[in-house]
C-alpha cells in the first residue's frame, strides 16, 4: 500500500518569503505524484504533477516541486509567498499502473503573515 | 470545458436516513472517483467507476454504494446514516487512463444530525 507523509499541519510564512511544504511517500515503485490546493469551501485544484521525465516540475501560481527518488520526496516550493497562497495543500500519490486511486497526505494549512 | 459539478452542495440529514449525491464529470471523461474528507481522517478514497463499472473500491462499509450511468454521470448513496458520515464528499473526474490526472468538483457538504 502506498502512503504519504506531510509534516506540520500548520505552516506560517511571511509574505514574500519562501514557501516550502514537504512530502515523502512510501511505495514499492516510484508512483505518480501530485500536489493539490484547497481553498475554503471549495474542492481540490491540481497545482502540479510528476509522472515521468524531468524531475523538476512547474505548476500553476508560481509553484514547483522536485521529485527525488533517492529521498522518496516531492517537496513543493514557491520563492515568494502571496496572501492569496493561504489555503490547504495536499500531496497525493497513485501507483503507475492500472489504478486511479489517490492516496493523500494529511495536508498543510498555510497561513501567510503580512 | 465545463468543470465537475456536484449536487446538492449542502445537505442536512437525520441519523438512519439515506442520501444520494450526484456528480457530473467533465465532458469526455469516463472515470469518476469519490472521496470523503473529514477533519479527523482526512481525504479517503471511496470508490471509482469507469464506463459504468466499479473499478476500485476503498475500505468503507457496504452502506456506501455508487453507480455510474451511460453518460458517465455518477451517484453515490449512503444508507442508514450515522453521525460519523458527516463530511465533505468530493467527486473527481478523469479520462481513466494514465497518468490518472483527476479534476475535483466543489463537493457536497453532508451534515448528519
Amino acid at each position: 500500500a502506498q502512503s504519504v507523509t506531510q509534516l506540520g499541519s500548520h505552516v506560517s510564512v511571511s509574505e514574500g518569503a519562501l514557501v516550502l511544504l514537504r512530502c515523502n511517500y512510501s511505495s514499492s515503485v516510484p508512483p505518480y505524484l501530485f500536489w493539490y490546493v484547497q481553498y475554503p469551501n471549495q474542492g481540490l485544484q491540481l497545482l502540479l504533477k510528476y509522472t515521468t521525465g524531468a524531475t523538476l516540475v512547474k505548476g500553476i501560481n508560481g509553484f514547483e516541486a522536485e521529485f527525488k527518488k533517492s529521498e522518496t520526496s516531492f517537496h513543493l516550493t514557491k520563492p515568494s509567498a502571496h496572501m492569496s497562497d493561504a489555503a490547504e495543500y495536499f500531496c497525493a500519490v497513485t501507483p503507475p499502473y492500472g489504478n486511479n486511486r489517490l492516496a493523500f497526505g494529511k495536508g498543510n494549512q498555510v497561513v501567510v503573515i503580512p | 470545458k465545463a468543470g465537475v459539478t456536484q449536487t446538492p452542495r449542502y445537505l442536512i440529514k437525520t441519523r438512519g436516513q439515506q442520501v444520494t449525491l450526484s456528480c457530473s464529470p467533465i465532458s469526455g471523461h469516463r472515470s469518476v472517483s469519490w472521496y470523503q474528507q473529514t477533519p479527523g481522517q482526512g481525504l479517503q478514497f471511496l470508490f471509482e467507476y469507469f464506463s459504468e463499472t466499479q473499478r476500485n473500491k476503498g475500505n468503507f462499509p457496504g452502506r456506501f454504494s455508487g453507480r455510474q450511468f451511460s453518460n458517465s454521470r455518477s451517484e453515490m448513496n449512503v444508507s442508514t446514516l450515522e453521525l460519523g458520515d458527516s463530511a465533505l464528499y468530493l467527486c473527481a473526474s478523469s479520462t481513466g487512463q494514465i497518468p490518472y490526472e483527476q479534476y475535483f468538483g466543489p463537493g457536497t457538504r453532508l451534515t448528519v444530525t
Side-chain angles (χ1 to χ4, degrees):
Chain A
Q2 303 190 318
S3 66
V4 177
T5 301
Q6 291 181 249
L7 296 178
S9 60
H10 285 76
V11 176
S12 293
V13 59
S14 297
E15 192 175 13
L18 172 73
V19 179
L20 169 60
L21 303 180
R22 301 178 187 275
C23 171
N24 288 89
Y25 67 88
S26 173
S27 175
S28 56
V29 296
Y32 292 154
L33 295 142
F34 306 84
W35 274 100
Y36 284 89
V37 61
Q38 187 177 34
Y39 298 100
N41 299 315
Q42 294 187 26
L44 304 177
Q45 181 181 12
L46 180 65
L47 276 176
L48 47 77
K49 68 179 187 289
Y50 170 79
T51 54
T52 59
T55 56
L56 181 63
V57 293
K58 295 186 184 301
I60 61 171
N61 302 339
F63 285 93
E64 63 181 36
E66 186 171 13
F67 170 62
K68 292 187 177 181
K69 183 179 176 181
S70 60
E71 299 178 7
T72 61
S73 70
F74 190 56
H75 302 332
L76 181 72
T77 60
K78 181 175 181 178
S80 176
H82 296 165
M83 297 300 295
S84 60
D85 294 327
E88 191 155 21
Y89 294 79
F90 294 93
C91 181
V93 301
T94 190
Y97 52 82
N99 190 324
N100 203 15
R101 171 180 183 162
L102 286 170
F104 286 90
K106 290 293 188 184
N108 295 119
Q109 183 68 52
V110 171
V111 175
V112 181
I113 302 168
Chain B
K1 279 187 178 179
V4 180
T5 58
Q6 292 187 246
T7 56
R9 290 293 311 277
Y10 301 91
L11 207 49
I12 300 175
K13 290 286 188 179
T14 304
R15 270 183 304 174
Q17 289 186 316
Q18 75 165 13
V19 67
T20 299
L21 312 181
S22 181
C23 171
S24 292
I26 292 169
S27 177
H29 284 189
R30 297 166 61 191
S31 168
V32 173
S33 298
W34 289 89
Y35 294 84
Q36 182 196 64
Q37 185 177 25
T38 61
Q41 299 299 316
L43 282 152
Q44 295 184 284
F45 173 80
L46 281 154
F47 32 65
E48 179 210 6
Y49 285 86
F50 180 79
S51 293
E52 301 181 66
T53 301
Q54 188 179 84
R55 188 162 71 167
N56 288 291
K57 188 177 187 304
N59 189 27
F60 277 80
R63 301 185 297 107
F64 292 82
S65 63
R67 59 177 176 168
Q68 186 179 35
F69 302 95
S70 59
N71 62 357
S72 293
R73 188 177 70 87
S74 177
E75 288 182 346
M76 190 191 93
N77 185 275
V78 188
S79 62
T80 319
L81 284 165
E82 301 176 359
L83 294 178
D85 296 334
S86 294
L88 180 67
Y89 290 89
L90 292 162
C91 162
S93 159
S94 80
T95 61
Q97 298 172 339
I98 293 172
Y100 304 130
E101 192 168 313
Q102 297 189 38
Y103 299 87
F104 284 79
T108 294
R109 173 75 63 185
L110 172 64
T111 302
V112 182
T113 62

